[in-house]
Amino acid sequence: MSKKKVTTYIIMADGKGTRWNHYQGIEKHLIEIDGETIIERTIRLVSQFDPNAEIIVTSHDPSYTFAGSTRYEPLNNQLEIDRFTVELIDTGVCFLYGDTYYTERAIRKIVKKHNDSLLFFGTAKKIVAIKVTDEKQMRKHCQHVRQLYLDKKIEKCIGWQLYQSFEQLPFEKRQIKGHFVLFEDETIDFNTPKDYKKFLRIH
């Protein structure tokens, strides 16, 4: 199989954000760090390390239209696994999370590293990016995880279950096998106001 350089970055920002609960009257993707929202930071860093990048932000909110990117409204967003917008899955895309704060080092690694199938980036707790060099594999495992969840055979259907399906790992516990770039202190998740307050104390 010939390799195709990833040039399309899809920033997923169409979640419900129930745990964030509209804290301080904003959505978590619009948290500002040093005067810049975290989603705009991601757009800027991707463009910095991949000047030829096409950047798409998936959201039904018209206010999620940012310079340097195109907003796209997903056709289906019922389950968490649907955030990997099926109609946008293609060979040569990279999925990123709109509610994740990425360091420059993290984005540089995501842009530069490649393989010939699927490549996952994350911590021991969360997947923060997936690069797709084989769209058939991505579609296959998204559908597999979705069906397992609908059949009540797994409790969640997020990035980790996608990785477990791809690597044929048990769903009962999280473990890393291959096709995975492990981050330590290179990303921060803002799922709850507590996460944000903790970040402000140490930033």
Side-chain angles (χ1 to χ4, degrees):
M1 172 195 269
S2 61
K3 293 184 180 179
K4 176 184 175 182
K5 183 181 178 183
V6 173
T7 56
T8 302
Y9 299 80
I10 300 169
I11 302 176
M12 302 176 289
D14 206 34
K16 298 177 176 61
T18 52
R19 287 182 291 173
W20 177 257
N21 197 27
H22 209 60
Y23 178 65
Q24 293 187 340
I26 61 171
E27 301 301 332
K28 57 184 176 178
H29 315 92
L30 305 181
I31 294 169
E32 287 196 5
I33 306 295
D34 297 329
E36 180 181 45
T37 66
I38 58 173
I39 196 167
E40 288 174 309
R41 173 188 174 84
T42 301
I43 293 168
R44 174 177 61 80
L45 290 177
V46 167
S47 297
Q48 176 181 328
F49 292 110
D50 187 352
N52 297 317
E54 175 188 10
I55 302 173
I56 298 172
V57 176
T58 54
S59 175
H60 280 79
D61 186 340
S63 68
Y64 278 48
T65 302
F66 304 99
S69 68
T70 302
R71 184 176 66 88
Y72 178 83
E73 297 187 2
L75 300 178
N76 178 41
N77 187 18
Q78 295 178 322
L79 307 177
E80 287 192 85
I81 195 69
D82 297 330
R83 309 288 159 77
F84 300 103
T85 310
V86 64
E87 65 271 21
L88 297 182
I89 294 174
D90 194 6
T91 293
V93 303
C94 177
F95 288 94
L96 300 164
Y97 287 79
D99 60 354
T100 296
Y101 174 91
Y102 297 90
T103 62
E104 290 190 11
R105 184 170 53 181
I107 293 295
R108 186 188 299 112
K109 285 183 180 180
I110 291 169
V111 168
K112 301 300 181 184
K113 289 187 178 292
H114 301 273
N115 71 6
D116 60 358
S117 186
L118 302 183
L119 184 59
F120 295 76
F121 300 78
T123 67
K125 294 182 178 180
K126 183 183 177 182
I127 305 294
V128 299
I130 302 175
K131 293 185 86 166
V132 181
T133 316
D134 184 343
E135 67 169 293
K136 291 182 179 179
Q137 287 292 317
M138 185 68 174
R139 290 179 182 277
K140 170 186 173 182
H141 292 287
C142 279
Q143 179 57 37
H144 181 227
V145 168
R146 194 176 201 279
Q147 194 58 54
L148 287 175
Y149 180 80
L150 290 174
D151 292 342
K152 302 186 184 303
K153 294 181 179 179
I154 55 175
E155 296 181 356
K156 292 183 178 181
C157 56
I158 57 177
W160 261 108
Q161 283 71 46
L162 185 58
Y163 176 69
Q164 290 163 329
S165 174
F166 175 67
E167 286 288 359
Q168 299 182 30
L169 293 168
F171 290 100
E172 292 75 23
K173 62 178 181 178
R174 295 181 182 182
Q175 56 183 300
I176 297 170
K177 184 178 179 181
H179 300 88
F180 198 105
V181 177
L182 182 64
F183 288 158
E184 295 296 337
D185 300 318
E186 297 164 86
T187 61
I188 298 171
D189 300 324
F190 294 114
N191 292 316
T192 68
K194 183 179 179 181
D195 296 332
Y196 181 50
K197 293 175 184 177
K198 180 180 178 181
F199 175 82
L200 292 179
R201 286 197 302 270
I202 62 177
H203 181 66

